[in-house]
Amino acid sequence: MKKTLLLFVAIVEIAMQASAATHIYRGRSTYMSDIIATWDGKYLYRGNSTYMSDILYSWDGKHLYSGRSNYLSDIVCTWDGKHLYSGRSTYLSDIVYTWDGKFLYSGRSTYLSDILYTISGGHVYRGRSTYQSDILYTIKGHIPIPVLLTVM
């Protein structure tokens, strides 16, 4: 009976963690008062809210939409897993950022001099740095790069 109860508690705990919202904090902080956005897997909300009225963006895995919309006219950007394009475009000339798994580059570039942000260990750093003094945001959970960029 004890093993069954422990297994049940473990499963509930894993399910709660899987469904828990991701928070984005200002700087190195993880204080509730420093939450600037909350991500639930589909919507990005203002601050620590998950109210429908506080939805900033919607995500479908490829397109980021303004607010709760899923209309083509409300597409903010398009994502292909490596490049972030402006609006609905997938033209090379409309690449705004390039992502290589650790660094976020300006435009189509992958030159070291064009690194804008480093994302590593739950932190977003300014430029190519991983110094604590260069932490811009702390992320508790998982968030897609295009959604994270809206906060930055």
Side-chain angles (χ1 to χ4, degrees):
M1 180 67 177
K2 286 184 180 181
K3 287 183 181 180
T4 306
L5 181 61
L6 284 174
L7 179 62
F8 177 74
V9 169
I11 290 171
V12 169
E13 181 67 26
I14 289 169
M16 287 176 60
Q17 287 179 3
S19 67
T22 295
H23 296 294
I24 303 156
Y25 300 84
R26 187 178 334 307
R28 291 181 5 191
S29 174
T30 54
Y31 292 117
M32 296 285 284
S33 60
D34 289 324
I35 295 174
I36 57 174
T38 300
W39 169 247
D40 72 0
K42 180 172 174 82
Y43 299 113
L44 183 71
Y45 301 86
R46 179 180 299 109
N48 192 24
S49 173
T50 54
Y51 292 119
M52 295 294 251
S53 61
D54 288 327
I55 293 174
L56 300 171
Y57 297 96
S58 304
W59 174 247
D60 70 6
K62 181 175 181 174
H63 297 104
L64 188 70
Y65 300 86
S66 181
R68 286 181 20 194
S69 175
N70 62 358
Y71 293 118
L72 292 177
S73 61
D74 291 328
I75 293 175
V76 176
C77 61
T78 301
W79 176 246
D80 70 5
K82 181 176 181 174
H83 298 105
L84 185 73
Y85 301 85
S86 179
R88 292 181 5 196
S89 175
T90 54
Y91 291 119
L92 292 178
S93 60
D94 290 328
I95 294 174
V96 181
Y97 298 107
T98 298
W99 170 245
D100 72 359
K102 183 174 183 178
F103 300 115
L104 194 67
Y105 301 86
S106 176
R108 290 185 353 193
S109 175
T110 54
Y111 291 120
L112 293 178
S113 61
D114 290 329
I115 294 173
L116 299 173
Y117 304 103
T118 301
I119 301 173
S120 176
H123 297 292
V124 177
Y125 300 87
R126 179 184 347 270
R128 197 173 147 210
S129 173
T130 54
Y131 291 119
Q132 285 191 358
S133 60
D134 289 327
I135 294 174
L136 299 172
Y137 304 99
T138 298
I139 306 159
K140 291 290 183 179
H142 174 73
I143 186 168
I145 294 299
V147 178
L148 177 60
L149 284 171
T150 63
V151 176
M152 300 168 29

